[in-house]
Amino acid sequence: MGKKALLVATLAVTAMLAFALSACSGGQASSASNAASSAAVSASAPASSGTKTVVDAYGRSVDVPANVERAATVGSGARFVVYAGGQDKLVAVTEMETDPGLNRPYSIAYADLFKKLPATSNGNHLMETTVNTEEMLLANPQVIISSRSAEECDKLQEETGIPVVGISYQNQLFTDNVYKSVECVGEALGTEDHAKKTVDALKGWQADLDKRTKDIADASKPTIYLGAVNYKGAKSWGGTSCNYAPAIAVHAVNVADELGQQAAVDVDLEQIGKWNPDYMFLNAGNLDLLKQDYAENKDFFDGLKAFQANHLFTQPFYNFNGTNVDTGICDAYFIGATIYPEAFADVDLEAKYAEIYETMLGGFDFYSVMKENKMGFKQFPPLQ
């Protein structure tokens, strides 16, 4: 017997026992009987008849109820539920959602909603995720949205008997994976119209960034370096990233790409000196580490072109327990407007940041929250 069937049977037996005892125990037992019976019916009765097939980001065909009203998430699935406009259908989230943070805009936008919901897993996106299947079954979702691997989605579906729709989007902004992930969540939850508007907006920003930057000659492009990029903990100057999605979106020359890696890497000061980039974009969240290293190597840093030209800028980190697509796109606009000012002369950047966040977060003005917390896209604060 599967776990979901076992839970239903247990609730039903509880209901019958309560009913049998009611003759001896009076009204109190009768109340218990009614509550247990209601729970059994809730757990066993489908919310609607009929199913539909959703093809998820892994190409898995998943049969889900035709009209889903109750959904849960695993990994960082809640982020894309918000992007697809289905947050009001959530009945369970992860521990990450119940602990909102500025490094996850969607968790701030819907903090009041998430704190009311049970957490049925620890929420890790890439590290080990533990799902409490008993709590998940008690929440009784009709579908689970998971950012874990296809194999883990299959395993969770088998363990719970609940359809699991998988999404895939790590370190990505304008990719088919991102678009498909938004679309399949919207299809599963019945929010296709909202999901389509989100994908259309994403494709519009992609086309705009590409049009503004694709024809700039390589000889005219300054070089850039990403610093203090977190990976398995906080990093100072040597924490950088190859294949950096916001830089790719504006055809920027990221000096670290010559390393041939795909994501975050560590380099030493000697390597930064060899690259001697024209611009540096730094994670201000690690300001203390940057200040300490600068104080210990002041002559080295003051000799770099970026320091001499005062070309040090913030770069709000867009990866935290999955990729904040909204912040990543804002980062792309900021990099583009900083290194190619003429190409972005007609863009009201503050209005653009607000537009991106409000579109991705269902109207929530996260950019104002950033400014209230002294975060943003700007010149880097003094290091001494």
Side-chain angles (χ1 to χ4, degrees):
M1 181 181 293
K3 290 186 177 180
K4 189 170 187 179
L6 180 61
L7 176 67
V8 172
T10 300
L11 290 170
V13 170
T14 301
M16 289 187 289
L17 288 173
F19 180 77
L21 292 170
S22 64
C24 299
S25 303
Q28 185 174 359
S30 179
S31 296
S33 171
N34 291 338
S37 297
S38 297
V41 170
S42 174
S44 61
S48 61
S49 60
T51 62
K52 60 186 176 184
T53 301
V54 174
V55 178
D56 71 9
Y58 296 114
R60 298 166 60 251
S61 293
V62 184
D63 292 332
V64 305
N67 296 295
V68 169
E69 296 297 333
R70 300 171 61 82
T73 65
V74 168
S76 58
R79 180 183 279 111
F80 270 64
V81 170
V82 168
Y83 291 167
Q87 61 275 356
D88 290 343
K89 298 191 176 188
L90 289 174
V91 294
V93 287
T94 76
E95 293 172 359
M96 295 293 289
E97 276 72 55
T98 59
D99 183 21
L102 292 168
N103 49 21
R104 288 161 293 129
Y106 76 97
S107 73
I108 296 293
Y110 295 97
D112 289 344
L113 169 64
F114 294 155
K115 71 181 180 182
K116 299 175 184 177
L117 301 177
T120 53
S121 73
N122 59 358
N124 289 334
H125 175 70
L126 295 176
M127 297 182 288
E128 183 178 357
T129 285
T130 302
V131 179
N132 186 327
T133 53
E134 291 185 5
E135 290 296 322
M136 180 71 79
L137 291 171
L138 284 171
N140 194 27
Q142 297 163 281
V143 65
I144 299 170
I145 308 299
S146 173
S147 67
R148 304 297 295 183
S149 68
E151 292 76 18
E152 288 171 291
C153 289
D154 287 339
K155 182 180 178 182
L156 182 60
Q157 184 167 291
E158 181 180 351
E159 289 178 346
T160 62
I162 302 168
V164 179
V165 173
I167 60 175
S168 177
Y169 66 96
Q170 181 68 13
N171 289 321
Q172 302 172 53
L173 296 181
F174 303 119
T175 67
D176 289 341
N177 271 347
V178 169
Y179 300 148
K180 180 60 178 176
S181 292
V182 176
E183 290 167 346
C184 71
V185 172
E187 186 177 355
L189 301 185
T191 58
E192 293 95 336
D193 289 347
H194 187 110
K196 183 179 185 303
K197 289 179 181 178
T198 299
V199 172
D200 287 348
L202 287 167
K203 291 181 177 179
W205 296 321
Q206 178 185 20
D208 182 48
L209 291 166
D210 190 59
K211 178 186 67 176
R212 294 175 183 278
T213 60
K214 66 179 179 178
D215 294 327
I216 298 174
D218 287 346
S220 302
K221 294 178 180 178
T223 56
I224 72 168
Y225 175 79
L226 291 310
V229 175
N230 289 344
Y231 174 68
K232 294 183 178 179
K235 301 290 183 179
S236 187
W237 297 94
T240 190
S241 181
C242 310
N243 196 39
Y244 190 71
I248 291 171
V250 294
H251 303 277
V253 179
N254 176 7
V255 291
D257 283 346
E258 73 173 42
L259 299 177
Q261 303 297 314
Q262 290 301 307
V265 294
D266 287 313
V267 299
D268 56 25
L269 294 186
E270 181 181 2
Q271 180 61 71
I272 296 173
K274 289 178 180 178
W275 284 329
N276 198 12
D278 297 302
Y279 289 81
M280 286 188 170
F281 293 90
L282 308 166
N283 175 15
N286 294 335
L287 179 59
D288 288 345
L289 289 175
L290 294 168
K291 281 185 172 182
Q292 179 180 337
D293 284 352
Y294 173 76
E296 295 173 359
N297 301 276
K298 189 174 184 301
D299 290 342
F300 166 78
F301 285 110
D302 287 348
L304 297 177
K305 289 189 293 185
F307 277 76
Q308 292 173 351
N310 197 25
H311 283 171
L312 274 63
F313 298 90
T314 61
Q315 183 75 167
F317 193 46
Y318 74 104
N319 279 322
F320 192 94
N321 200 49
T323 297
N324 296 302
V325 177
D326 34 30
T327 298
I329 299 171
C330 291
D331 284 338
Y333 268 96
F334 182 58
I335 291 175
T338 301
I339 64 176
Y340 314 128
E342 293 183 2
F344 289 80
D346 63 327
V347 179
D348 181 336
L349 288 174
E350 293 219 339
K352 182 60 67 176
Y353 303 146
E355 171 198 330
I356 291 166
Y357 281 119
E358 288 175 16
T359 299
M360 299 299 291
L361 302 176
F364 184 80
D365 182 12
F366 182 74
Y367 184 54
S368 290
V369 176
M370 289 183 71
K371 291 190 292 184
E372 289 169 5
N373 286 273
K374 303 186 186 307
M375 294 173 61
F377 309 88
K378 54 192 176 183
Q379 198 89 29
F380 203 77
L383 291 165
Q384 57 183 354

